[in-house]
Amino acid sequence: MEQKLSILKENQKAKIVKVLGDTHLKRRLMEFGLLSGQVVLVLSVSPLKNTFMISIRGYALALRKSILENIYVELL
Amino acid sequence: MKDIVALVGNPNTGKTTFFNSVTNADEHVGNWHGVTVEFKEKKYKTKSKKEITLTDLPGTYSLSPYSFEEGVTRDYLLTHKNCKVINIADGNNLGKSLLLTLELLEMGICPILCINMATEIKKKGIEINVQKIKDWLGIEVYLCDAYNKKQVTEIVENIINFDTIYQNKLTYQNIISKKLDELLNLNIETFDKIKVLELDEYYIKRHNLSQKQIEILTKNNTCEYVLKTKYEFIDKILSQCVKYKSKEIYGFGKLDKVVLNRWFAIPIFVGIIFAIFFFTFGPVGTFLTNSLSLFFENIIFAPLIDLTKKLTTNKFIIDFVSFAVCGSLQSIVCFLPQIILMFLGLYILEDTGYMSRLAFSFEDYLKKVGLSGKSVFTLLMCFGCSTTATLTARNLENKNSKIKTAMLTPYISCSAKLPIYSVICGAFFPKHKFLIIIGLYLLGIMVALLTSYLLNKKVLKSENVTFAMEMPPYRFPSAKKVFKNVFVNIKQFLLRAGTMLFSFSCIIWILQNCNIKMQYGVGDSILQVLSGWLAPLFIPLGFGSVGVVTALLCGVVAKEIIVSTIGMVNGLGEKSGASQIANSILFSTSAFFLTKQSSLAFLVFATLYAPCISTASVMIKEIGFKWTAISLTIQFAVSYLISFVVYRVSTYFVCNGFVSGVISVLVFVAISVVIFFAVGLFKPKNACKFCQNRKYCNNK
């Protein structure tokens, strides 16, 4: 089932299905390696749950929740 | 043309470390992202006596800029087509770094690839086959440690002495450009084709693409296609050239399970801050401050005063040297141990990589008021001393958040304001002393956060701060680096803020001790005359007497001297205690006299009205004269308003009942709204929300 990456909880793994957003943002996310088919793991969520730390292509990346809402994933 | 060697790479890969190693410069290096925000140049003489310019460019993820700093890097590369490029890559995260390398190659730049952190990755068991990467990319590749002076100078020597002949080995390039040919018929260079497919605004504008053409590209998801192809290429290189021992996630250590835990993050931070606080302002800091000032008094000041006494009998000169010169030097000296300890704490935290975690945990809270997570360090340090705390604001990555954070520091009650609170509350509210002091601390914090919120809404927007952050790994702090950073900061404090602080203090001393005709020690001093003029201004606040205004004006020099000034104007001796001073305020015959209501207004005003000279000096140096002036104006206006309301409300509630109280609250709200809109008048010109006014930006 397709869902937004922003609803994932800590330690959940998912596969990216598509990345949305304006061109600017989308390109930057893809440059970070957030491309469809890649697997992401939520490493940590900040105290107010507005910032997520995810692992992508073997490194840790912190992103705001509002940005993660542009990324659709399939739970693994 | 003079030879230029530019350093290009992802954020936090060690470009500045490399730069410093080659040129012996003192540029600030930190274990977090975006420490370098502008490019820096320095001359370097090679062994063959050739002079070259080494340029340290801000870190960038790609040549399609997302932020101001990244725009700087691309602009530089576009305007300096003939410069030589050293591409610094992080050996721990080579895949990510290679994306930029590929872009440089596509652009026709033939960089030397330096894979940094050789020792660190060796320890981790990552093996990189340099020769194979060379074969894949067709460029020179080195494995190095950026801090190793011998290694890096060798690389720089090599790049100057040899002209590398580049053979294009990027097999994917043709496939990608064919894709564009299928979709659109454009006769442009391959690099431009790739950038057009990536929908880069600059190149779309350059080749006059129509809206319809852009739509075709968007529909076909060309951007994803290009990046996927590039990452496939990178993965091929990685699978053949790099061997990993463990499957550890880079930048997320075992410690992070605890440090970044939702529940533990804040207690851990509070613990760390408490420890730094304890060291800086507690027994250790106090001991160092006392011994240092004792040392200066006996070894430097005493002989200096004696010398002046031998040279002249003029009382003005002797007093000027012994009080103004020595006094202000003394106050600068007093800051030194605190600054050293605070920066020591800051840089140890920074070098370990904790600052990025801090930013992660506090981003949510501070983003609401337009600050970044890293501001929390500066803001908390303000409880100790605003001057030193303001200095730490320079570590913020974004210019707007730096200005905002620095502007907030004076609102937060520093340790020097505590004696004022305790004397005045002791006099009027001995039973509720604690409650009122807590209230004043909270008031400062609230006003600071509110100011930041308003500034963020109207003037100093910083939406794009730390949009995405790579986590640096934990590293053991290097003593050499930490001490170097502390030393550089101390040097800058003494040279920049110190000189200003010194001259300001001398001027104020003259104002305090000379009359209008510039005669020393005769009649009313300029400061007293000035207070007499200003006093009517404070009648609406309930404390419009000359004595109170004198104390407030002296408080501009340093908040510490407000209490002693009260004692002085009330005719008490220099060594009178706090309780004597507190008693003297109660008598209406005193020069410094307050009532219960006006004492509250005074406390509020004293909490908020102005930074001390040292903080103002640091602010001028860090955020510029304009913003300091704006900040001072806002501060004065805000403190005047709030203390007016406090005075009126407390008076009305006591004398006139509830209705008048409500009316004055409404007046306050009305005035605040006016201020809110007035602030909106200074809007930044043409700032783009993505890149903050880069000249090629389409998003204006």
Side-chain angles (χ1 to χ4, degrees):
Chain A
M1 201 187 73
E2 241 174 69
Q3 49 195 335
K4 285 177 182 174
L5 181 48
S6 52
I7 67 153
L8 258 65
K9 294 195 176 64
E10 229 164 274
N11 293 324
Q12 276 187 319
K13 237 184 201 181
K15 196 163 138 187
I16 299 177
V17 179
K18 61 181 177 208
V19 180
L20 302 177
D22 66 76
T23 354
H24 226 91
L25 176 70
K26 206 167 135 182
R27 186 177 53 238
R28 179 41 50 94
L29 290 176
M30 288 174 174
E31 280 163 0
F32 277 125
L34 292 154
L35 292 152
S36 61
Q38 291 285 341
V39 174
V40 290
L41 167 71
V42 177
L43 294 170
S44 175
V45 181
S46 73
L48 282 189
K49 294 189 175 182
N50 275 326
T51 316
F52 282 58
M53 177 123 36
I54 56 168
S55 107
I56 175 81
R57 290 185 61 88
Y59 71 95
L61 183 68
L63 287 165
R64 293 226 186 96
K65 193 176 178 180
S66 57
I67 284 159
L68 291 179
E69 278 173 0
N70 293 302
I71 302 169
Y72 284 81
V73 294
E74 228 168 64
L75 257 178
L76 287 182
Chain B
M1 193 182 147
K2 227 186 259 161
D3 280 321
I4 299 175
V5 176
L7 300 174
V8 183
N10 282 175
N12 200 26
T13 48
K15 292 173 295 298
T16 306
T17 312
F18 191 104
F19 181 79
N20 287 351
S21 301
V22 177
T23 61
N24 293 322
D26 292 332
E27 295 305 340
H28 178 63
V29 191
N31 184 14
W32 76 29
H33 296 84
V35 179
T36 309
V37 287
E38 279 156 345
F39 69 83
K40 286 167 193 127
E41 287 181 327
K42 199 151 184 184
K43 298 263 182 302
Y44 170 73
K45 240 191 190 126
T46 61
K47 280 172 197 154
S48 50
K49 302 278 178 247
K50 211 167 154 190
E51 202 182 62
I52 59 146
T53 310
L54 196 69
T55 311
D56 181 24
L57 292 170
T60 182
Y61 287 111
S62 80
L63 297 175
S64 303
Y66 197 85
S67 66
F68 176 77
E69 304 92 83
E70 296 190 351
V72 171
T73 303
R74 171 155 87 177
D75 273 5
Y76 193 91
L77 290 175
L78 284 175
T79 48
H80 297 73
K81 285 246 162 164
N82 292 322
C83 74
K84 292 183 170 175
V85 172
I86 297 180
N87 177 209
I88 311 230
D90 184 349
N92 292 296
N93 194 1
L94 197 58
K96 185 95 165 317
S97 301
L98 280 179
L99 190 72
L100 183 65
T101 317
L102 293 185
E103 281 202 305
L104 290 171
L105 288 169
E106 289 160 12
M107 206 174 158
I109 294 170
C110 173
I112 279 188
L113 180 63
C114 279
I115 302 172
N116 191 12
M117 331 242 176
T119 318
E120 196 179 305
I121 54 177
K122 205 174 174 186
K123 257 185 218 160
K124 280 191 190 163
I126 303 173
E127 276 173 48
I128 297 181
N129 190 329
V130 174
Q131 190 54 44
K132 268 191 183 162
I133 298 181
K134 252 185 222 178
D135 294 342
W136 269 96
L137 296 172
I139 52 172
E140 283 293 308
V141 182
Y142 295 90
L143 198 60
C144 70
D145 278 311
Y147 56 80
N148 188 327
K149 196 174 160 61
K150 207 179 138 208
Q151 274 179 8
V152 293
T153 26
E154 222 165 79
I155 294 170
V156 175
E157 296 279 343
N158 276 352
I159 196 172
I160 299 158
N161 296 334
F162 299 106
D163 273 316
T164 35
I165 308 144
Y166 170 60
Q167 275 179 302
N168 194 329
K169 293 201 170 182
L170 306 183
T171 43
Y172 65 86
Q173 249 179 332
N174 287 330
I175 311 169
I176 291 182
S177 58
K178 260 180 212 153
K179 177 94 178 168
L180 183 68
D181 296 336
E182 279 169 27
L183 295 169
L184 305 170
N185 191 15
L186 290 175
N187 194 13
I188 52 176
E189 278 175 53
T190 323
F191 174 67
D192 290 25
K193 277 186 186 171
I194 296 174
K195 279 287 160 201
V196 165
L197 282 170
E198 281 182 19
L199 290 163
D200 184 299
E201 287 82 2
Y202 176 74
Y203 288 92
I204 284 180
K205 210 176 179 186
R206 191 167 156 186
H207 298 297
N208 288 322
L209 258 71
S210 67
Q211 200 57 43
K212 207 178 157 196
Q213 285 172 313
I214 297 172
E215 262 168 42
I216 297 177
L217 296 177
T218 326
K219 223 185 215 167
N220 282 285
N221 228 341
T222 49
C223 181
E224 182 162 18
Y225 172 76
V226 171
L227 285 162
K228 255 191 168 167
T229 322
K230 282 192 204 175
Y231 265 121
E232 270 163 25
F233 186 74
I234 290 170
D235 283 339
K236 254 188 237 165
I237 301 179
L238 292 181
S239 65
Q240 294 199 8
C241 311
V242 186
K243 270 186 201 140
Y244 296 91
K245 218 176 192 173
S246 67
K247 275 202 164 180
E248 198 179 76
I249 297 154
Y250 176 60
F252 191 82
K254 282 173 195 129
L255 214 54
D256 280 323
K257 284 256 180 292
V258 184
V259 173
L260 292 180
N261 183 291
R262 277 186 61 203
W263 308 109
F264 297 152
I266 290 168
I268 288 175
F269 169 67
V270 170
I272 290 175
I273 282 294
F274 186 80
I276 294 179
F277 229 80
F278 182 76
F279 267 101
T280 315
F281 303 108
V284 181
T286 320
F287 171 76
L288 286 176
T289 306
N290 289 344
S291 31
L292 198 67
S293 61
L294 209 67
F295 170 82
F296 266 80
E297 224 164 84
N298 294 329
I299 307 294
I300 294 171
F301 298 153
L304 188 71
I305 295 166
D306 284 344
L307 184 73
T308 335
K309 276 181 185 158
K310 267 179 206 154
L311 288 175
T312 176
T313 48
N314 186 323
K315 196 167 181 308
F316 173 73
I317 296 178
I318 295 172
D319 283 356
F320 183 78
V321 170
S322 49
F323 294 112
V325 176
C326 294
S328 48
L329 285 178
Q330 177 93 357
S331 63
I332 296 172
V333 166
C334 283
F335 277 126
L336 279 180
Q338 287 184 2
I339 296 180
I340 293 173
L341 289 170
M342 193 179 284
F343 272 117
L344 207 61
L346 174 72
Y347 287 126
I348 288 174
L349 287 190
E350 188 190 284
D351 216 29
T352 50
Y354 180 72
M355 274 297 170
S356 296
R357 272 83 187 168
L358 194 62
F360 174 78
S361 300
F362 284 89
E363 190 75 23
D364 301 353
Y365 296 102
L366 289 166
K367 208 205 135 209
K368 292 196 170 155
V369 292
L371 295 171
S372 85
K374 287 169 202 158
S375 315
V376 75
F377 187 87
T378 304
L379 292 181
L380 281 167
M381 282 303 155
C382 290
F383 289 112
C385 169
S386 349
T387 311
T388 38
T390 313
L391 275 172
T392 60
R394 67 164 59 148
N395 290 287
L396 294 170
E397 74 286 1
N398 173 293
K399 203 177 151 210
N400 278 359
S401 13
K402 178 177 149 183
I403 295 176
K404 262 182 290 183
T405 312
M407 280 171 86
L408 302 187
T409 53
Y411 293 112
I412 294 172
S413 303
C414 66
S415 54
K417 286 180 190 163
L418 195 60
I420 313 171
Y421 301 161
S422 108
V423 164
I424 304 230
C425 291
F428 292 99
F429 312 99
K431 276 183 193 160
H432 306 290
K433 194 172 162 183
F434 184 70
L435 207 67
I436 290 176
I437 292 179
I438 290 279
L440 289 167
Y441 269 88
L442 285 178
L443 176 79
I445 299 168
M446 288 310 294
V447 173
L449 294 181
L450 209 69
T451 311
S452 170
Y453 178 77
L454 290 184
L455 284 172
N456 187 51
K457 273 272 165 321
K458 291 288 177 183
V459 202
L460 292 162
K461 282 185 190 162
S462 43
E463 290 172 33
N464 214 15
V465 245
T466 48
F467 135 78
M469 221 173 19
E470 256 183 283
M471 283 290 136
Y474 285 110
R475 296 196 168 105
F476 197 77
S478 118
K480 194 180 142 199
K481 218 156 103 187
V482 170
F483 281 115
K484 197 173 167 189
N485 277 333
V486 172
F487 176 74
V488 168
N489 273 292
I490 296 295
K491 202 172 88 185
Q492 278 178 353
F493 169 75
L494 289 177
L495 286 178
R496 300 163 85 201
T499 46
M500 194 175 257
L501 176 55
F502 176 72
S503 36
F504 269 141
S505 311
C506 288
I507 293 169
I508 298 269
W509 184 83
I510 292 175
L511 294 181
Q512 270 175 323
N513 291 288
C514 293
N515 68 6
I516 294 258
K517 290 173 190 153
M518 291 308 282
Q519 287 160 315
Y520 175 63
V522 188
D524 285 351
S525 71
I526 301 178
L527 199 71
Q528 269 170 310
V529 175
L530 207 62
S531 312
W533 290 342
L534 291 175
L537 192 66
F538 296 98
I539 290 171
L541 308 187
F543 49 86
S545 65
V546 181
V548 180
V549 180
T550 311
L552 285 173
L553 281 178
C554 291
V556 174
V557 181
K559 296 286 181 290
E560 287 92 337
I561 61 176
I562 287 191
V563 171
S564 59
T565 312
I566 296 173
M568 211 176 70
V569 296
N570 282 357
L572 297 170
E574 260 183 40
K575 293 227 161 72
S576 54
S579 55
Q580 275 171 290
I581 294 174
N583 279 331
S584 76
I585 303 170
L586 296 168
F587 297 110
S588 55
T589 46
S590 298
F592 188 105
F593 152 74
L594 295 168
T595 60
K596 227 172 189 179
Q597 291 86 2
S598 68
S599 73
L600 270 181
F602 177 80
L603 281 173
V604 168
F605 194 77
T607 309
L608 303 171
Y609 77 113
C612 58
I613 303 183
S614 1
T615 308
S617 312
V618 171
M619 276 170 84
I620 292 176
K621 286 302 173 195
E622 295 294 323
I623 63 173
F625 186 76
K626 182 186 139 203
W627 284 110
T628 311
I630 293 175
S631 171
L632 292 182
T633 321
I634 297 178
Q635 254 195 292
F636 187 79
V638 166
S639 56
Y640 193 90
L641 261 177
I642 299 181
S643 107
F644 174 78
V645 172
V646 167
Y647 179 61
R648 289 293 143 190
V649 170
S650 56
T651 320
Y652 278 129
F653 274 117
V654 175
C655 318
N656 296 3
F658 188 69
V659 180
S660 316
V662 172
I663 291 173
S664 45
V665 171
L666 287 179
V667 169
F668 170 68
V669 171
I671 298 174
S672 315
V673 169
V674 171
I675 290 183
F676 183 83
F677 284 106
V679 168
L681 291 179
F682 338 63
K683 263 187 190 161
K685 283 177 218 153
N686 300 332
C688 149
K689 73 172 175 177
F690 292 115
C691 49
Q692 298 162 358
N693 71 34
R694 296 309 296 165
K695 50 182 178 273
Y696 53 77
C697 175
N698 288 352
N699 297 305
K700 272 177 194 167

